[in-house]
Amino acid sequence: MIKVSVMYPNGPGTHFDHAYYRDKHMPLVKARLGAPLKYYTVDKGMAGGAPGSAPTYAASGHLFFDSVEDFQTSFGPHTQEIMGDIPNYTDITPVIQISEVVVGKP
């Protein structure tokens, strides 16, 4: 299994609409990617590692697939629509990482 993490770095003056991301954007992603997207999770940054510090990321979305190929073939046809929705909830440029899930259960 692989995980595609889309992380939104936190910073002064940045904007992130968590309700839109949770209630509209991620359901849009699931609808477009279909069955190859096994499930997804959404994280809302709360704090950094040091007491009183800001979170490193304002939010993160994690998409789980059986393979990189499943991600690429399902995402490819919908890239423009999905990426085009980003300005509706944030002004942050996301950082994307693809990882192999070594341990974990849905």
Side-chain angles (χ1 to χ4, degrees):
M1 178 166 283
I2 63 111
K3 174 174 68 171
V4 178
S5 297
V6 183
M7 302 167 288
Y8 297 86
N10 193 26
T14 58
H15 164 75
F16 196 94
D17 183 339
H18 292 277
Y20 186 97
Y21 187 65
R22 178 191 67 230
D23 299 335
K24 297 187 188 248
H25 182 74
M26 292 305 286
L28 167 72
V29 170
K30 177 59 179 162
R32 296 303 179 264
L33 302 187
L37 174 56
K38 300 304 179 191
Y39 66 98
Y40 66 87
T41 62
V42 173
D43 301 341
K44 181 178 180 180
M46 293 178 53
S53 65
T56 302
Y57 297 99
S60 301
H62 306 281
L63 313 172
F64 295 83
F65 298 86
D66 286 333
S67 68
V68 173
E69 294 76 22
D70 283 351
F71 163 65
Q72 292 170 336
T73 57
S74 64
F75 189 82
H78 307 287
T79 301
Q80 186 173 359
E81 180 182 13
I82 292 169
M83 299 301 282
D85 192 44
I86 292 174
N88 291 323
Y89 61 88
T90 192
D91 56 2
I92 302 169
T93 300
V95 175
I96 300 171
Q97 176 173 305
I98 298 175
S99 304
E100 177 184 6
V101 177
V102 179
V103 175
K105 287 184 171 183

